[in-house]
Amino acid sequence: MMISFKRLALALGVLSLVGCAGPPAQHYTLSQALPPPSSAVSSSKEVSGKSVGAYSLSDISVPAEVDNISLVVSQGEGRLMVLSEDRWSGSLSAQLSTALSQALTQRIGMPPVQKLVSEAAGASVTKIQLAVQRFDLIPGQSVALDTVWSMRFPGSKSFLTCYTRLVKPVDIGVLALVRGQQENVQALATQLTEALKTQKAPSGSSCSR
């Protein structure tokens, strides 16, 4: 009887913990749903220039304070808050890499080549390096994406190095923050596409060679 009572007490304790558990975590992605193939080209900004050959995208670095699977929002006066129940579906750096790769594929018609392929191809691949300087989520106000990126084109010994600052006002709510940064990623992809096609500084970026 004593053993049965202990088992019953343990079972009731487990049930009480389940009952007290909070709501399930919400997961978000920086990738936007891709349009049908027939509208993929028309959905992006048309940019005339050279045809784009093979290109690679290096691993993307992000500031340590926001490199969290949970969303990190700014509260002003240098304060940050981690939203433990609102999470990216992967690390922030991986989310940015996947979202940007998909956006570039949509605009150019071909994805970035993998790292091993890029190393094997050597100088025939345009190499893109990108570092995020700022990834701000300010609830009910705005989102910001600041990046420093560079491209080295085939046959060139110099880099096109650019700074892009993207800020977008947003409404209240976590989903509004996510959608705002999704749009910033799309805008960054448009600038990278323009640079790939023209091999010149894209509009909206400060660049040097």
Side-chain angles (χ1 to χ4, degrees):
M1 290 293 292
M2 183 61 69
I3 295 176
S4 298
F5 177 78
K6 288 182 178 179
R7 288 178 177 173
L8 177 61
L10 179 60
L12 290 174
V14 172
L15 288 174
S16 66
L17 288 175
V18 173
C20 293
Q26 299 293 316
H27 290 83
Y28 302 91
T29 175
L30 285 171
S31 301
Q32 285 189 336
L34 296 177
S38 59
S39 60
V41 176
S42 61
S43 65
S44 63
K45 178 181 175 183
E46 291 294 334
V47 179
S48 59
K50 302 177 181 178
S51 60
V52 178
Y55 66 99
S56 65
L57 179 64
S58 67
D59 294 337
I60 298 175
S61 63
V62 299
E65 60 268 22
V66 296
D67 192 14
N68 196 312
I69 195 168
S70 295
L71 275 68
V72 180
V73 300
S74 302
Q75 293 187 296
E77 300 180 352
R79 294 178 300 162
L80 298 174
M81 182 171 67
V82 178
L83 305 182
S84 58
E85 301 303 327
D86 294 289
R87 305 172 184 173
W88 302 113
S89 57
S91 67
L92 180 56
S93 57
Q95 280 290 301
L96 283 165
S97 180
T98 298
L100 197 55
S101 294
Q102 290 180 354
L104 287 170
T105 301
Q106 178 188 348
R107 286 160 173 75
I108 296 172
M110 61 179 292
V113 297
Q114 298 298 317
K115 184 177 180 179
L116 291 177
V117 177
S118 173
E119 292 175 351
S124 63
V125 175
T126 297
K127 297 182 179 179
I128 307 173
Q129 295 180 316
L130 192 147
V132 174
Q133 303 293 302
R134 182 181 176 194
F135 188 92
D136 283 353
L137 304 173
I138 307 177
Q141 296 185 34
S142 63
V143 294
L145 178 62
D146 293 6
T147 59
V148 174
W149 52 272
S150 66
M151 288 186 184
R152 185 171 183 175
F153 302 102
S156 175
K157 295 183 179 180
S158 62
F159 289 86
L160 174 66
T161 302
C162 302
Y163 170 69
T164 298
R165 185 166 192 264
L166 299 163
V167 180
K168 185 172 183 61
V170 297
D171 293 328
I172 297 173
V174 173
L175 189 56
L177 294 171
V178 173
R179 286 175 174 169
Q181 287 292 33
Q182 286 178 342
E183 293 183 19
N184 280 340
V185 170
Q186 295 295 316
L188 177 59
T190 296
Q191 292 195 14
L192 293 175
T193 299
E194 182 178 344
L196 281 168
K197 289 187 175 182
T198 64
Q199 298 191 9
K200 297 179 181 178
S203 54
S205 291
S206 301
C207 302
S208 63
R209 268 197 132 110

